[in-house]
Amino acid sequence: MKVWLRAASVAAIAYGLTPAVGQAQSLDDVLRRLERLEQENQALRQEVESLKAGGAPVLPGPVATAPAAAADAPPAVPVPEVEAPTPHNDTVEARVELNSGYFISRASDVTYRMLDPTTHTSRKPLMLLDARRQGDLRDGGVYLGGAITALVDYQETNRNSKFGYLMRHPTSANQIGETASEAVLHSAQLSVTANVTPWITAYAELLYDPEQSFGSGTITALTRNQMQLRKGYVLFGDLAESPWYAAVGKMEAPFGLMDTVSPFTASTVWHAFGGLAWGALAGYSGDGLNVAVEAVQGGSQFRSVATSVEGTNVPSRLNNFVVDANYTFDLGGEGRDLMAGASYLHGSAYCHAFPVVHFNPCVDDNPAYAVYGQLHYDRWTANAEFAKTLEEWPGTFNPTPPLNQFEASKVTSWGVGARYAADLGGHELHLSGEFSTYIAGPEGAPWHRQDQLVFGLAAFPASHVKLFSEVVLVKGYVPLNFLSGGNLGPGVTWSDADGRTTVLLAGANVAF
């Protein structure tokens, strides 16, 4: 039908452009050419489909044409049968075209894993390369994706305007009194992955997070409602060909595990040591062994990494670094393995003098180390992690009485948790529990520690959609800024070892 419509259109044009004497001959020529083109196109389609199916190419036979005249008409050649268009084969054809390498595509499962802040937290570049090796992402083309996390919660505290829940910046600009409740968009993310060649991948991720933004004002202030390039890097490597890879850009520092078994709330270890910085990374991944070394930009970086650059926080030198290594042991059977690893960070963020303020220059570099493990055993997942600075944090000492009785302290954070993945009508249902803590001062100090206990429930109506609920219990109130005082007057701190916060929340994380 499409052929005859096109023929009619061309014929109409030909009629208006040719003289009446040659009109019949011109129409015959046009029709013969159109029919020949359609048959050649069909033959080419069959050859492409045969090649994609792994078979031998279909060699086109002679092309049949309409007879020019009865005297010199060649023998008729049968035209191959053409499959009638149906919704099914139209969809298949569209998918073939979509995956031809010249179209923008989406891969919701990969997007979910890349944008999920609870798993592979410090190893996203390696996870992206692994997705390419497994065939989840094709070579060539561009993938667009995104994720939105919506949240409703209710919080209570025993201290006026002191809410210790770390997934929400604990400031009185956003939480007032002894109760708080919200129905908010916690975050929105957009990502683009360009598989330029089998060895080169470009990745960028935009983030909108008014609840955890460092902007001033409330969550409705324009200063907190900004989009940012959260991560972006060029990745070099093809794990199907070589275990070596590299990346340059803005990415997570490969320090510690930083994962959580909870469906939404991050571990306190991540809040304390999860790094984000400019850098150049080189790695090895093969036979269960993973090694990553990153040269990190100095000065004060975006999260949890910092070094001094001639006594300033100016990031003008590549003078920080991270080293991480882990090995995965096969415990026999699918879904049974144990990963154990260790990390070293040359310059942690715990280097400021009193009073402590985000991104202030370091007094001196303060290294940190981490050891961690992760167990998968059938439907169980368990995490354990410990991280600590090598030196005392200068800012944890307040020189003003009576707080000067508490000496400067090293910073320690650790956590343990377990999750069970039940089957509910063919969909996974996760039940989890996790404890983590942050210790920043000696026993008895108001800023001694903050503990977090999380009980979680998550359901997955689709592999890239998570519906979740949590109960969070927080003991202690230790905000990073001014944790040992300096903002409320001499000898006073807003940290409170006896502060208590209870959080009930439910939400949805939808990737696309």
Side-chain angles (χ1 to χ4, degrees):
M1 184 64 183
K2 292 180 179 178
V3 174
W4 292 110
L5 286 175
R6 276 181 261 179
S9 300
V10 175
I13 297 172
Y15 180 83
L17 296 179
T18 58
V21 176
Q23 183 176 325
Q25 183 177 358
S26 299
L27 284 174
D28 287 341
D29 289 342
V30 170
L31 290 174
R32 280 198 302 272
R33 290 173 184 172
L34 282 173
E35 187 172 352
R36 185 168 61 252
L37 287 173
E38 289 292 335
Q39 292 169 7
E40 289 174 352
N41 182 56
Q42 177 61 27
L44 287 173
R45 276 178 173 271
Q46 289 180 334
E47 183 176 353
V48 170
E49 293 299 329
S50 176
L51 288 173
K52 289 180 178 178
V58 178
L59 298 177
V63 178
T65 59
D72 57 351
V77 177
V79 178
E81 291 186 6
V82 179
E83 183 182 7
T86 66
H88 172 71
N89 59 38
D90 278 354
T91 301
V92 172
E93 182 177 325
R95 288 175 180 168
V96 170
E97 292 178 350
L98 190 63
N99 288 279
S100 64
Y102 302 100
F103 291 86
I104 293 176
S105 307
R106 65 184 180 91
S108 299
D109 289 349
V110 177
T111 297
Y112 174 83
R113 298 198 301 269
M114 287 297 295
L115 299 182
D116 178 21
T118 68
T119 58
H120 297 89
T121 309
S122 58
R123 292 168 182 80
K124 296 295 188 181
L126 179 58
M127 192 181 74
L128 182 57
L129 285 179
D130 195 54
R132 293 198 65 176
R133 174 175 58 181
Q134 294 177 3
D136 295 335
L137 298 175
R138 71 178 189 278
D139 289 336
V142 175
Y143 286 85
L144 295 181
I148 294 178
T149 300
L151 191 69
V152 293
D153 65 63
Y154 175 81
Q155 304 179 39
E156 284 187 355
T157 178
N158 65 339
R159 296 290 189 269
N160 184 41
S161 301
K162 292 183 178 181
F163 294 84
Y165 184 48
L166 295 176
M167 297 300 288
R168 180 80 155 77
H169 279 176
T171 68
S172 57
N174 293 283
Q175 296 156 311
I176 296 295
E178 296 184 354
T179 63
S181 55
E182 300 174 311
V184 293
L185 192 66
H186 182 270
S187 64
Q189 300 157 281
L190 292 175
S191 68
V192 57
T193 303
N195 297 329
V196 183
T197 75
W199 284 83
I200 300 177
T201 305
Y203 179 80
E205 177 183 322
L206 297 175
L207 173 66
Y208 166 78
D209 63 338
E211 294 221 308
Q212 292 186 294
S213 166
F214 283 107
S216 61
T218 70
I219 59 171
T220 58
L222 291 179
T223 49
R224 291 181 70 118
N225 283 264
Q226 303 291 326
M227 292 287 291
Q228 59 167 300
L229 181 69
R230 184 64 169 182
K231 285 173 277 188
Y233 43 83
V234 176
L235 189 56
F236 304 91
D238 181 355
L239 296 182
E241 299 293 333
S242 170
W244 299 95
Y245 65 96
V248 178
K250 182 182 180 183
M251 67 195 92
E252 302 94 341
F255 180 78
L257 180 64
M258 304 301 152
D259 286 3
T260 177
V261 295
S262 301
F264 173 71
T265 297
S267 163
T268 302
V269 186
W270 177 83
H271 284 287
F273 286 99
L276 179 68
W278 298 113
L281 179 145
Y284 174 92
S285 178
D287 299 322
L289 176 65
N290 292 287
V291 179
V293 179
E294 182 181 6
V296 179
Q297 198 71 28
S300 296
Q301 286 298 299
F302 303 97
R303 258 197 129 267
S304 295
V305 290
T307 53
S308 174
V309 179
E310 295 192 8
T312 75
N313 60 355
V314 179
S316 62
R317 290 181 187 168
L318 203 64
N319 67 350
N320 200 354
F321 67 90
V322 187
V323 179
D324 174 75
N326 63 72
Y327 186 80
T328 300
F329 301 88
D330 187 350
L331 302 182
E334 186 178 355
R336 296 181 179 181
D337 58 66
L338 172 65
M339 179 182 68
S343 305
Y344 175 83
L345 170 63
H346 175 66
S348 72
Y350 301 109
C351 56
H352 314 107
F354 175 86
V356 173
V357 178
H358 274 303
F359 312 120
N360 268 3
C362 291
V363 174
D364 199 3
D365 298 343
N366 191 356
Y369 69 92
V371 292
Y372 57 89
Q374 186 174 65
L375 171 69
H376 296 108
Y377 200 88
D378 296 335
R379 293 185 172 275
W380 287 95
T381 298
N383 294 342
E385 184 168 20
F386 178 92
K388 188 174 185 177
T389 61
L390 294 183
E391 306 293 340
E392 286 77 16
W393 184 9
T396 57
F397 174 70
N398 187 328
T400 309
L403 297 179
N404 61 351
Q405 63 181 299
F406 302 113
E407 296 181 351
S409 175
K410 298 179 180 180
V411 175
T412 303
S413 187
W414 60 269
V416 292
R419 178 179 65 225
Y420 181 76
D423 183 271
L424 184 64
H427 298 285
E428 283 195 354
L429 180 70
H430 290 183
L431 305 170
S432 62
E434 182 176 82
F435 174 84
S436 57
T437 185
Y438 169 73
I439 303 170
E443 188 77 36
W447 55 91
H448 170 50
R449 68 187 297 165
Q450 180 167 317
D451 300 336
Q452 177 179 274
L453 181 61
V454 183
F455 299 99
L457 174 68
F460 295 82
S463 58
H464 50 91
V465 176
K466 175 168 57 178
L467 308 178
F468 58 86
S469 180
E470 290 181 347
V471 176
V472 185
L473 306 175
V474 181
K475 178 182 178 183
Y477 178 77
V478 187
L480 178 60
N481 275 342
F482 304 108
L483 87 166
S484 56
N487 62 324
L488 300 178
V492 180
T493 175
W494 61 0
S495 293
D496 192 332
D498 295 321
R500 300 289 187 274
T501 304
T502 301
V503 184
L504 304 176
L505 65 85
N509 174 225
V510 180
F512 49 89

